[in-house]
Amino acid sequence: MSYQSQVQAAAAAVNGKPGWESISAESVARMRLQNRFQSGLDIARYTAAIMRRDMTAYDADPAAYTQSLGCWHGFIGQQKLISIKKHFGTTDKRYLYLSGWMIAALRSEFGPLPDQSMHEKTSVPALIEELYTFLRQADARELGGLFRDLDAARDAGDAVKAKAIENQIDNFQTHVVPIIADIDAGFGNAEATYLLAKKMIEAGACALQIENQVSDEKQCGHQDGKVTVPHEDFVAKIRAIRYAFLELGVEDGIIVARTDSLGAGLTKQIAFSREPGDIGDQYNSFLDCEEIDVGQVGNGDVVISRNGKLLRPKRLASNLFQFRAGSGEDRCVLDCINSLQNGADLLWIETEKPHIGQIAGMVNRIRDVIPTAKLVYNNSPSFNWTLNFRQQVYDAMVAAGKDVSAYDRARLMSVDYDATELAQEADERIRTFQRDAAAQAGIFHHLITLPTYHTAALSTDNLAKEYFGDAGMLGYVKNVQRAEIRQGIACVKHQNMSGSDIGDDHKEYFAGEAALKAGGAHNTMNQFAA
């Protein structure tokens, strides 16, 4: 609906109502445009449709992959989307990622926690709601600026400029984008997963990522000690999430099924099997077992009968059962196929390194069964990207018979190698990793889980070093404020970013000429007008 149509619709609602003569239909239309999304469910339905379209586009052309950065606060997510719109003119194919790790480390009332699902589960939907509150405020702020420009053009009698601004309003692209939100292992059983999923969807999440670890043994995907669950347990949670989406009317909701089997060598349960070859039997076939006879069964032993043989799975003192070494990739492939066959939409394989060949090897096996299989992939800060890719280039040089005597493979992270041909080739591979992996390894969505955690730490360290050192105030002015001004960072006008101008607009709507507005001649933000 065009801007003028919005004004006309508001006029139909306002005009003729006794006592409403001072209500401006155009102001009502503006407030409606600034508050397009009335609820989190509105957002979830809108963004789910975006993701579905993007998934279809990727199936047609792998160059149409999508990206996101993890954000631990609404302001961080807001600034990310404002920057994307500024630099690229569109938010298309750019999402938000909500990291369970960052919630545990930064958003728990207990204080910083490891990524083990010990934080309050309600903190997850709370952050989703916060992120979308800040994105909706970014919409209101940008539209408010357009409305003020429109008023100025009208006051100047410039009809051409006024029409051009109306066209900008009509074609305004919201900052609200899809969010892929981490529900960890569901924080309990399938019912607990369903209840939390509903809260996350009601807050606005259109895509939920769930992993196949045991809830009460959950570990970060890049740490040791991970314990997986049998497929039927995991499928029950996938169904629970699907029911939550459907109950709330988000029929396009997306489920991302994550497998940690590549790095998880343990299971808490032996799967129930009805017949040879079923999914429980396949899960159990990866257990590290020894063949025994009846006379060797000891007190408390758990044994499995398979193909007429009696097998005793290796059980640790922790009461966990061990998988065979080297079975991780096969288990990942089975996990992924079974998840897609039982309602998941996208896959996540947590790997120990960013290696396109390794990822593609698993994806190709999955696609032999399900041709449209595609991944969400964590371009994780837990990887040492520099070292990994320099070693990959080194190994490729060795395989090609090139002379590598100038390099020490164990020391390739050293600054001594930064200007070498090897390092430059590694950096080029890092630069094109997302594009190449999307084309070769079925990666639909690339994300970095914890980037803003690291950028906040780095920028704060640099500021503290300068400000509390010899540079003093120049440490802030030169490296922060001056850089903000020259790079056009919107929040240099922090009063405007916090909503001061929106508040002034409302004061004028509500009080007319009697409004006491903050944006007058003595507002110091006017120093940043140039």
Side-chain angles (χ1 to χ4, degrees), residues 188-221:
N189 61 13
E191 177 69 10
T193 302
Y194 155 78
L195 292 171
L196 179 55
K198 283 181 62 176
K199 288 293 185 184
M200 294 170 72
I201 297 162
E202 287 169 341
C206 71
L208 303 184
Q209 165 214 326
I210 187 165
E211 62 203 55
N212 68 337
Q213 291 191 46
V214 177
S215 285
D216 57 357
E217 300 285 353
K218 183 260 186 306
Q219 292 275 15
C220 173

Short mmCIF file of all heavy atoms in Angstrom, two decimals, residues 188-221:
data_model
loop_
_atom_site.label_atom_id
_atom_site.label_comp_id
_atom_site.label_asym_id
_atom_site.label_seq_id
_atom_site.Cartn_x
_atom_site.Cartn_y
_atom_site.Cartn_z
N GLY A 188 15.80 -30.15 27.77
CA GLY A 188 14.98 -31.16 28.41
C GLY A 188 14.44 -32.15 27.39
O GLY A 188 15.01 -32.33 26.32
N ASN A 189 13.30 -32.75 27.74
CA ASN A 189 12.70 -33.75 26.86
C ASN A 189 11.93 -33.07 25.72
O ASN A 189 11.98 -31.86 25.55
CB ASN A 189 11.82 -34.71 27.66
CG ASN A 189 10.67 -33.98 28.36
OD1 ASN A 189 10.37 -32.82 28.07
ND2 ASN A 189 10.00 -34.68 29.27
N ALA A 190 11.19 -33.85 24.96
CA ALA A 190 10.47 -33.30 23.82
C ALA A 190 9.42 -32.27 24.24
O ALA A 190 9.21 -31.27 23.55
CB ALA A 190 9.81 -34.43 23.02
N GLU A 191 8.77 -32.49 25.38
CA GLU A 191 7.77 -31.51 25.86
C GLU A 191 8.44 -30.19 26.22
O GLU A 191 7.93 -29.11 25.89
CB GLU A 191 7.04 -32.08 27.08
CG GLU A 191 6.03 -31.14 27.72
CD GLU A 191 4.80 -30.86 26.87
OE1 GLU A 191 4.61 -31.56 25.85
OE2 GLU A 191 4.00 -29.98 27.24
N ALA A 192 9.59 -30.27 26.89
CA ALA A 192 10.32 -29.04 27.23
C ALA A 192 10.77 -28.33 25.96
O ALA A 192 10.72 -27.09 25.88
CB ALA A 192 11.54 -29.39 28.10
N THR A 193 11.17 -29.09 24.96
CA THR A 193 11.57 -28.51 23.68
C THR A 193 10.40 -27.78 23.02
O THR A 193 10.54 -26.66 22.52
CB THR A 193 12.10 -29.61 22.75
OG1 THR A 193 13.19 -30.28 23.37
CG2 THR A 193 12.54 -29.04 21.41
N TYR A 194 9.24 -28.42 23.04
CA TYR A 194 8.02 -27.83 22.47
C TYR A 194 7.67 -26.51 23.17
O TYR A 194 7.38 -25.50 22.52
CB TYR A 194 6.89 -28.84 22.58
CG TYR A 194 5.50 -28.27 22.60
CD1 TYR A 194 4.87 -27.84 21.44
CD2 TYR A 194 4.78 -28.19 23.81
CE1 TYR A 194 3.58 -27.33 21.48
CE2 TYR A 194 3.51 -27.69 23.85
CZ TYR A 194 2.90 -27.25 22.68
OH TYR A 194 1.62 -26.74 22.72
N LEU A 195 7.71 -26.49 24.48
CA LEU A 195 7.33 -25.29 25.23
C LEU A 195 8.30 -24.14 24.96
O LEU A 195 7.88 -22.99 24.76
CB LEU A 195 7.29 -25.61 26.73
CG LEU A 195 6.18 -26.57 27.17
CD1 LEU A 195 6.38 -26.97 28.64
CD2 LEU A 195 4.81 -25.95 26.97
N LEU A 196 9.60 -24.44 24.94
CA LEU A 196 10.58 -23.39 24.65
C LEU A 196 10.48 -22.93 23.20
O LEU A 196 10.58 -21.73 22.91
CB LEU A 196 12.00 -23.88 24.95
CG LEU A 196 13.12 -22.88 24.68
CD1 LEU A 196 12.89 -21.56 25.43
CD2 LEU A 196 14.47 -23.48 25.07
N ALA A 197 10.26 -23.87 22.29
CA ALA A 197 10.11 -23.51 20.87
C ALA A 197 8.96 -22.51 20.70
O ALA A 197 9.09 -21.53 19.95
CB ALA A 197 9.87 -24.76 20.03
N LYS A 198 7.85 -22.74 21.38
CA LYS A 198 6.72 -21.82 21.27
C LYS A 198 7.12 -20.41 21.70
O LYS A 198 6.78 -19.42 21.04
CB LYS A 198 5.54 -22.32 22.11
CG LYS A 198 4.77 -23.46 21.49
CD LYS A 198 3.60 -23.90 22.36
CE LYS A 198 2.58 -22.81 22.56
NZ LYS A 198 1.40 -23.27 23.35
N LYS A 199 7.82 -20.31 22.82
CA LYS A 199 8.25 -18.99 23.30
C LYS A 199 9.18 -18.31 22.30
O LYS A 199 9.08 -17.10 22.07
CB LYS A 199 8.95 -19.13 24.65
CG LYS A 199 8.03 -19.47 25.82
CD LYS A 199 7.08 -18.32 26.10
CE LYS A 199 6.23 -18.59 27.33
NZ LYS A 199 5.23 -17.52 27.55
N MET A 200 10.06 -19.08 21.69
CA MET A 200 11.00 -18.51 20.73
C MET A 200 10.28 -18.06 19.46
O MET A 200 10.59 -17.00 18.90
CB MET A 200 12.09 -19.54 20.40
CG MET A 200 12.99 -19.85 21.60
SD MET A 200 14.10 -21.25 21.36
CE MET A 200 15.28 -20.57 20.19
N ILE A 201 9.32 -18.83 19.02
CA ILE A 201 8.55 -18.47 17.81
C ILE A 201 7.68 -17.24 18.10
O ILE A 201 7.59 -16.32 17.28
CB ILE A 201 7.69 -19.66 17.35
CG1 ILE A 201 8.58 -20.84 16.95
CG2 ILE A 201 6.79 -19.27 16.18
CD1 ILE A 201 7.85 -22.17 16.90
N GLU A 202 7.05 -17.23 19.27
CA GLU A 202 6.22 -16.08 19.65
C GLU A 202 7.05 -14.80 19.73
O GLU A 202 6.54 -13.70 19.51
CB GLU A 202 5.52 -16.34 20.98
CG GLU A 202 4.40 -17.35 20.87
CD GLU A 202 3.87 -17.82 22.21
OE1 GLU A 202 4.58 -17.65 23.24
OE2 GLU A 202 2.75 -18.36 22.25
N ALA A 203 8.35 -14.94 20.02
CA ALA A 203 9.24 -13.77 20.08
C ALA A 203 9.68 -13.32 18.69
O ALA A 203 10.21 -12.22 18.54
CB ALA A 203 10.46 -14.09 20.93
N GLY A 204 9.48 -14.19 17.68
CA GLY A 204 9.80 -13.80 16.31
C GLY A 204 10.69 -14.74 15.53
O GLY A 204 10.95 -14.52 14.35
N ALA A 205 11.18 -15.82 16.16
CA ALA A 205 12.10 -16.72 15.46
C ALA A 205 11.37 -17.54 14.41
O ALA A 205 10.35 -18.17 14.70
CB ALA A 205 12.79 -17.65 16.45
N CYS A 206 11.91 -17.53 13.19
CA CYS A 206 11.33 -18.33 12.11
C CYS A 206 12.11 -19.61 11.87
O CYS A 206 11.65 -20.50 11.14
CB CYS A 206 11.25 -17.53 10.82
SG CYS A 206 12.87 -17.25 10.05
N ALA A 207 13.32 -19.71 12.44
CA ALA A 207 14.17 -20.88 12.23
C ALA A 207 14.82 -21.27 13.55
O ALA A 207 15.47 -20.44 14.20
CB ALA A 207 15.24 -20.58 11.18
N LEU A 208 14.62 -22.52 13.95
CA LEU A 208 15.19 -23.02 15.19
C LEU A 208 16.20 -24.11 14.89
O LEU A 208 15.94 -25.02 14.12
CB LEU A 208 14.09 -23.57 16.12
CG LEU A 208 12.97 -22.60 16.50
CD1 LEU A 208 12.02 -23.26 17.49
CD2 LEU A 208 13.53 -21.31 17.09
N GLN A 209 17.35 -23.99 15.51
CA GLN A 209 18.44 -24.95 15.35
C GLN A 209 18.52 -25.82 16.60
O GLN A 209 18.64 -25.31 17.71
CB GLN A 209 19.75 -24.20 15.14
CG GLN A 209 21.00 -25.05 15.30
CD GLN A 209 22.14 -24.26 15.88
OE1 GLN A 209 22.28 -23.06 15.62
NE2 GLN A 209 22.97 -24.90 16.69
N ILE A 210 18.45 -27.14 16.41
CA ILE A 210 18.51 -28.06 17.55
C ILE A 210 19.56 -29.13 17.28
O ILE A 210 19.74 -29.57 16.15
CB ILE A 210 17.13 -28.69 17.83
CG1 ILE A 210 17.18 -29.53 19.11
CG2 ILE A 210 16.61 -29.49 16.63
CD1 ILE A 210 15.81 -29.88 19.67
N GLU A 211 20.26 -29.54 18.33
CA GLU A 211 21.36 -30.48 18.17
C GLU A 211 21.02 -31.83 18.81
O GLU A 211 20.15 -31.93 19.68
CB GLU A 211 22.63 -29.91 18.78
CG GLU A 211 22.54 -29.64 20.27
CD GLU A 211 23.54 -28.60 20.75
OE1 GLU A 211 23.56 -27.49 20.21
OE2 GLU A 211 24.30 -28.92 21.70
N ASN A 212 21.76 -32.86 18.40
CA ASN A 212 21.45 -34.23 18.82
C ASN A 212 22.26 -34.68 20.02
O ASN A 212 22.53 -35.87 20.20
CB ASN A 212 21.65 -35.21 17.65
CG ASN A 212 23.11 -35.36 17.24
OD1 ASN A 212 23.93 -34.49 17.49
ND2 ASN A 212 23.43 -36.46 16.58
N GLN A 213 22.63 -33.73 20.88
CA GLN A 213 23.31 -34.09 22.12
C GLN A 213 22.29 -34.37 23.22
O GLN A 213 21.13 -33.94 23.15
CB GLN A 213 24.24 -32.97 22.56
CG GLN A 213 25.46 -32.75 21.69
CD GLN A 213 26.46 -31.81 22.33
OE1 GLN A 213 26.77 -31.93 23.52
NE2 GLN A 213 26.94 -30.85 21.55
N VAL A 214 22.74 -35.03 24.27
CA VAL A 214 21.92 -35.22 25.46
C VAL A 214 21.80 -33.88 26.17
O VAL A 214 22.80 -33.19 26.40
CB VAL A 214 22.58 -36.26 26.40
CG1 VAL A 214 21.76 -36.41 27.68
CG2 VAL A 214 22.72 -37.60 25.70
N SER A 215 20.57 -33.49 26.51
CA SER A 215 20.35 -32.16 27.08
C SER A 215 21.19 -31.91 28.32
O SER A 215 21.82 -30.86 28.47
CB SER A 215 18.87 -31.97 27.41
OG SER A 215 18.12 -31.75 26.24
N ASP A 216 21.19 -32.86 29.25
CA ASP A 216 21.89 -32.62 30.51
C ASP A 216 23.39 -32.94 30.44
O ASP A 216 24.09 -32.88 31.44
CB ASP A 216 21.24 -33.39 31.66
CG ASP A 216 21.16 -34.89 31.42
OD1 ASP A 216 21.58 -35.33 30.33
OD2 ASP A 216 20.69 -35.62 32.30
N GLU A 217 23.87 -33.28 29.25
CA GLU A 217 25.30 -33.50 29.06
C GLU A 217 25.82 -32.58 27.94
O GLU A 217 26.93 -32.76 27.46
CB GLU A 217 25.57 -34.96 28.66
CG GLU A 217 25.14 -35.99 29.68
CD GLU A 217 26.05 -36.05 30.89
OE1 GLU A 217 27.10 -35.38 30.88
OE2 GLU A 217 25.71 -36.76 31.85
N LYS A 218 25.02 -31.60 27.53
CA LYS A 218 25.34 -30.75 26.37
C LYS A 218 26.68 -30.03 26.56
O LYS A 218 26.99 -29.49 27.62
CB LYS A 218 24.21 -29.74 26.17
CG LYS A 218 24.39 -28.84 24.94
CD LYS A 218 24.92 -27.50 25.32
CE LYS A 218 24.99 -26.52 24.17
NZ LYS A 218 25.72 -26.94 22.97
N GLN A 219 27.48 -30.04 25.48
CA GLN A 219 28.73 -29.31 25.45
C GLN A 219 28.77 -28.44 24.20
O GLN A 219 28.09 -28.72 23.21
CB GLN A 219 29.92 -30.29 25.39
CG GLN A 219 30.15 -31.11 26.64
CD GLN A 219 30.98 -30.36 27.68
OE1 GLN A 219 31.16 -29.14 27.60
NE2 GLN A 219 31.45 -31.08 28.68
N CYS A 220 29.61 -27.40 24.24
CA CYS A 220 29.88 -26.64 23.03
C CYS A 220 30.35 -27.60 21.94
O CYS A 220 31.10 -28.54 22.20
CB CYS A 220 30.94 -25.58 23.30
SG CYS A 220 31.50 -24.70 21.82
N GLY A 221 29.91 -27.35 20.70
CA GLY A 221 30.26 -28.24 19.60
C GLY A 221 31.74 -28.34 19.33
O GLY A 221 32.20 -29.27 18.66
#
